[in-house]
Amino acid sequence: MSMIKQLRALEILDSRGRPTVQATCVLHSGYMATASVPSGASTGAAEAWELRDGNPARYRGLGCRRAVENINTTINDALKDRPFNHQHDLDGWLVALDATPNKSRLGANALLAVSISTARAVAAERGLPLYQHFADMANLPLRHIPHPTINLFSGGKHAGGQTAIQDVLIVPIAATMDEALAMTYAVYQTAAALILQKYNMRLLRADEGGLAPDFPSTEAMLQDAVDSIQAAGYVPGQQIALAVDVASSQFYADGRYQLDGRHLTSAEMIAQLMDWTQRYPVISLEDGLAEEDWANWSALRTRLTDKTLIMGDDFLCTNPTRIRRAIASEAANALLLKVNQIGTLTEANEAASLARQAGWHITVSARSGETEDNWLADLAVGWGGDHIKIGSITQSERLAKYNRLLAIEADTHLPLASYAKRQTDDGVG
Ligand code: PGA
Ligand code: ZN
């Protein structure tokens, strides 16, 4: 049994210099912990509500003082001195206290900061590493370190929209995290040299650290990724595969996908995705269709399921109701899990268990606006994520998580998860 003595919060800045929320939980036992929450830019319409102050004179309306105040007053007053045994008790109180369908009263940013800082304080109280506490919360054994998918090239909302699609990621087919990161460094540096030569672009990076030259087309983005892998001395598809975050809701309007100057119908977009997976070693396609284009997701899954993961990010928003619907209509076979899309650990865990029970693959993901906090690494290990998507290996808010994964790998000697879509495929681990 644990009991909160005090919750307090602070407005801090994320990796884009925008305000976000940090909470500290002090338990009656004397254990305490702090956690910070991230923030997205290419957000899904069904995401839980990030409470912002809306004062244009301060951070262009993005201030988080109200969310901080909600933790310091309403949430602290309601939660302190109440004994609880499980995270779901505490998260249940948070959801009931907010009492809106999308957490707009107190703010999902306030709720999640409390949910995670409390989990971390309880892990300390139990004398356990945070990943073990997360595993216990999900009632899962520790199985593996999630396989990294790492941003190489960026476009879309994270890079000023120079290409429609958002990310081309590399998936090193390595046996350990340690080896995967060393392979990534080789490809990233080779890609930086390639784009300097090809586009005369210095090492400028998008929000998640991906390289973001002015690619003439999506095709060029994919081809340059394959060329960089080859130039770094690796065999594309055999030693390093690709994953793509199409983020297609961002270029879908009036029933058409605006891609490279074309206006594609859903059927044409599916044909385009099939073409890419046939010509490039793509093992995972995220948001290949738009979040509003429900009717066509099942066709996408049917046509592509043998080749690649059909993963929902904005499409599913880590939302158990949406995931149930997608399972029933066979609209995807992989979940991108972002806990701040739903707002508490317990609801995110429910989303993950639904996906797992349906035999889906799970990618645990960071946001484009991150902090130096590293809880994501522990969560991905504890909840048995198959893949983890953090961004590139260039900025400290990303490296905080990669470095934590290296430390967990060294401590536990857990194997790296398979890179492939299912454990039965030819993946490592
Ligand atoms: P976001 O982007 O954090 O800006 O939503 C990440 C993603 O789309 O996967
Ligand atoms: Zn995405």
Side-chain angles (χ1 to χ4, degrees):
M1 192 202 71
S2 304
M3 193 158 43
I4 292 171
K5 187 173 177 196
Q6 190 199 24
L7 290 164
R8 56 175 187 262
L10 189 67
E11 182 191 64
I12 60 163
L13 301 186
D14 73 13
S15 52
R16 281 188 280 248
R18 297 179 188 166
T20 188
V21 181
Q22 181 181 76
T24 296
C25 169
V26 184
L27 298 175
H28 274 279
S29 57
Y31 289 94
M32 59 186 281
T34 297
S36 306
V37 298
S39 173
S42 79
T43 48
E47 290 200 21
W49 189 257
E50 209 171 56
L51 188 65
R52 301 281 184 181
D53 297 339
N55 169 8
R58 189 169 179 275
Y59 288 112
R60 300 187 174 183
L62 296 173
C64 289
R65 283 180 171 170
R66 282 163 63 205
V68 162
E69 192 57 18
N70 287 343
I71 295 175
N72 287 336
T73 58
T74 314
I75 301 177
N76 177 62
D77 295 348
L79 265 55
K80 69 174 181 187
D81 306 330
R82 284 174 82 173
F84 61 95
N85 282 314
H86 296 288
Q87 183 76 30
H88 56 77
D89 299 332
L90 179 105
D91 289 338
W93 296 336
L94 285 171
V95 170
L97 188 65
D98 177 80
T100 65
N102 64 349
K103 307 188 171 70
S104 54
R105 187 170 92 87
L106 299 170
N109 40 0
L111 267 48
L112 187 64
V114 170
S115 189
I116 298 176
S117 61
T118 306
R120 195 177 248 160
V122 172
E125 189 176 55
R126 296 178 68 210
L128 293 175
L130 186 55
Y131 60 80
Q132 183 65 59
H133 181 58
F134 278 131
D136 295 348
M137 193 185 292
N139 209 8
L140 291 172
L142 291 173
R143 275 184 32 232
H144 52 225
I145 305 285
H147 208 103
T149 64
I150 304 169
N151 293 44
L152 183 65
F153 294 137
S154 293
K157 273 215 167 165
H158 296 168
Q162 93 290 26
T163 59
I165 71 167
Q166 191 167 284
D167 301 299
V168 173
L169 305 100
I170 58 171
V171 189
I173 303 171
T176 62
M177 180 63 69
D178 182 52
E179 185 191 346
L181 294 180
M183 291 167 79
T184 301
Y185 185 82
V187 176
Y188 191 90
Q189 296 305 327
T190 306
L194 181 136
I195 65 163
L196 173 64
Q197 187 204 355
K198 216 171 150 178
Y199 303 108
N200 196 23
M201 200 204 88
R202 286 172 301 113
L203 201 57
L204 296 174
R205 300 180 185 112
D207 286 355
E208 297 182 358
L211 299 164
D214 206 0
F215 295 108
S217 63
T218 313
E219 188 81 27
M221 205 171 169
L222 288 161
Q223 188 59 51
D224 287 346
V226 165
D227 290 349
S228 302
I229 292 169
Q230 246 157 2
Y234 296 108
V235 183
Q238 280 177 35
Q239 290 172 297
I240 299 188
L242 296 180
V244 179
D245 184 359
V246 184
S248 65
S249 301
Q250 307 297 331
F251 55 90
Y252 180 71
D254 304 323
R256 290 282 191 281
Y257 293 88
Q258 321 289 332
L259 185 72
D260 297 331
R262 292 172 299 154
H263 310 281
L264 306 179
T265 62
S266 302
E268 287 166 343
M269 185 67 194
I270 293 174
Q272 174 66 81
L273 296 170
M274 282 189 72
D275 177 57
W276 287 339
T277 56
Q278 271 151 13
R279 290 187 299 115
Y280 299 101
V282 176
I283 59 149
S284 173
L285 268 182
E286 179 182 337
D287 282 349
L289 294 177
E291 60 193 291
E292 309 96 296
D293 200 9
W294 269 97
N296 291 296
W297 272 81
S298 306
L300 174 67
R301 172 172 156 165
T302 310
R303 303 281 296 278
L304 275 147
T305 203
D306 304 335
K307 296 193 164 37
T308 177
L309 292 166
I310 302 301
M311 183 153 63
D313 171 15
D314 295 344
F315 176 56
L316 300 170
C317 278
T318 316
N319 183 314
T321 308
R322 292 177 77 90
I323 294 166
R324 277 195 195 90
R325 182 174 161 199
I327 291 169
S329 55
E330 300 197 342
N333 57 23
L335 168 70
L336 192 87
L337 183 100
K338 292 168 167 169
V339 289
N340 76 330
Q341 283 181 328
I342 187 74
T344 64
L345 285 171
T346 300
E347 292 159 291
N349 182 32
E350 187 193 345
S353 353
L354 285 169
R356 206 177 295 114
Q357 279 158 26
W360 286 17
H361 170 113
I362 298 173
T363 296
V364 175
S365 175
R367 300 306 304 245
S368 51
E370 270 292 337
T371 74
E372 61 277 23
D373 201 332
N374 61 11
W375 54 260
L376 188 83
D378 289 78
L379 183 130
V381 173
W383 287 5
D386 302 290
H387 285 175
I388 185 164
K389 180 183 165 205
I390 300 171
S392 206
I393 54 162
T394 53
Q395 300 166 184
S396 289
E397 80 281 3
R398 316 282 148 197
L399 294 164
K401 284 83 164 163
Y402 286 119
N403 289 339
R404 176 67 183 148
L405 288 169
L406 288 172
I408 298 173
E409 178 170 74
D411 283 354
T412 60
H413 303 291
L414 286 168
L416 195 65
S418 163
Y419 77 94
K421 58 192 163 74
R422 286 184 296 269
Q423 298 299 317
T424 48
D425 290 353
D426 293 328
V428 178

